[in-house]
Amino acid sequence: MDLRHLRIVLTVAESGSISHAAARLQIAQSGLSTQLRRIEQEFGGPLFQRRPQGVVPTELGIHVLGRAEKLLDEFGDLLATARTLARPAEPPQAVALGGVDNPWVPRIAALIRERLPHHEQLTYLEPSSQAVLELLRTEKIALAVVSEFPDVVPPQVRDFTVHDLDTEPALIGLAPGHRLAHRPLLALEELAEDVWIAPGDRTDGLGLSLRIACERAGFTPRFRYFGADQATAAAIVSAGNAVGVFLSPGDHCQGIVWKRLANGRLWRRTRLVWDAGSPLAGLAEDIDRGALDRCGRLAS
């Protein structure tokens, strides 16, 4: 249970129905229903009564909603003031980029260095897109790179300017000797009996997205390895001990057969986000794929 789940509960209450809340959160209604059931299990009972015309809070739901809004407000204030105090003073004329663990971050950092060679540059890597957006809201960074995954509550960017960079499929990694290694495409249900590596904590939603996709396919993934980075996960997969899901695998992921899912259920959307008054707004508006690809080659 974390603050993101409280935001989901508040959105459902404000919307008055699961379908309207799913539209506001930009996720599938079935995915929201799955998350809401898990949240209610954590609280020990139903938070809403489901009715034909929508949902209304139960007595437990009224209690949770009353405390949740205050907690979120207090946490937002705490986070903003703490980050302001914790961050070291930035050098004069410094420009700052923030992002999640994503190969687009070094590309954009290289482009900033090329376009603004006389400015000192700072780059912050955060564990989640929400943490990156908090840095943007408190003006600790001028440009943010965030990620979205299917059926997971996306980072709230409606107050900012947004440019979509890419949507890439997640790849299933198999050992060369795996029974399905010869297949060009896979269905998730074919991996129901396999042992899985849980996506690392820095993937910002891929783990939940994978679990929901597997449950739709009729099974719960048997996660037996946790906390592995991509290189370690690749070593486990290549040894034939598990299967895993990977995003933008690099040269460090050797000895693996890569497979796409036939229905495209798993993907990552990468977005560039900035405030209208950002000192990097002009640069962000002019970014094109060709320039980023070239800077990506220079950064690698």
Side-chain angles (χ1 to χ4, degrees), residues 93-290:
Q93 294 186 312
V95 291
L97 166 69
V100 290
D101 191 8
N102 186 309
W104 285 98
V105 174
R107 293 185 183 188
I108 295 170
L111 183 64
I112 293 173
R113 288 193 297 271
E114 178 188 88
R115 301 283 180 87
L116 300 171
H118 302 299
H119 287 68
E120 187 163 0
Q121 181 183 330
L122 305 175
T123 302
Y124 298 107
L125 288 177
E126 296 290 337
S128 71
S129 293
Q130 193 60 43
V132 175
L133 291 177
E134 287 297 335
L135 292 182
L136 191 62
R137 290 188 179 96
T138 56
E139 300 182 357
K140 298 301 297 181
I141 61 174
L143 200 57
V145 179
V146 300
S147 297
E148 293 183 9
F149 296 91
D151 296 317
V152 177
V153 177
Q156 298 301 307
V157 296
R158 57 179 174 268
D159 296 330
F160 302 109
T161 304
V162 181
H163 173 56
D164 287 345
L165 292 173
D166 190 33
T167 299
E168 60 182 310
L171 300 176
I172 302 298
L174 305 177
H178 192 278
R179 68 186 186 283
L180 300 176
H182 66 285
R183 296 275 298 281
L185 294 173
L186 300 180
L188 267 179
E189 49 266 31
E190 295 178 296
L191 300 169
E193 301 304 319
D194 284 85
V195 169
W196 285 80
I197 300 174
D201 293 337
R202 296 185 66 85
T203 54
D204 199 25
L206 179 58
L208 177 58
S209 185
L210 171 62
R211 183 181 290 275
I212 292 173
C214 290
E215 289 179 352
R216 284 182 176 173
F219 71 98
T220 298
R222 296 169 58 209
F223 291 132
R224 296 297 182 267
Y225 296 89
F226 300 89
D229 58 24
Q230 282 217 120
T232 304
I236 295 171
V237 170
S238 65
N241 296 325
V243 301
V245 60
F246 294 80
L247 293 161
S248 302
D251 295 337
H252 57 278
C253 296
Q254 300 293 324
I256 292 180
V257 178
W258 303 109
K259 301 294 178 181
R260 290 196 179 200
L261 292 173
N263 51 20
R265 282 177 175 169
L266 294 173
W267 44 260
R268 173 175 65 186
R269 178 178 295 120
T270 302
R271 315 186 84 182
L272 190 63
V273 185
W274 67 93
D275 185 78
S278 167
L280 295 181
L283 180 146
E285 290 166 358
D286 292 338
I287 281 180
D288 62 82
R289 180 65 179 266

Side-chain angles (χ1 to χ4, degrees), residues 11-12 15 17-30 32 154 156 158:
T11 301
V12 172
S15 302
S17 75
I18 302 294
S19 59
H20 290 164
R24 286 180 57 184
L25 295 169
Q26 299 179 342
I27 61 175
Q29 183 175 339
S30 58
L32 177 57
Q156 298 301 307
R158 57 179 174 268

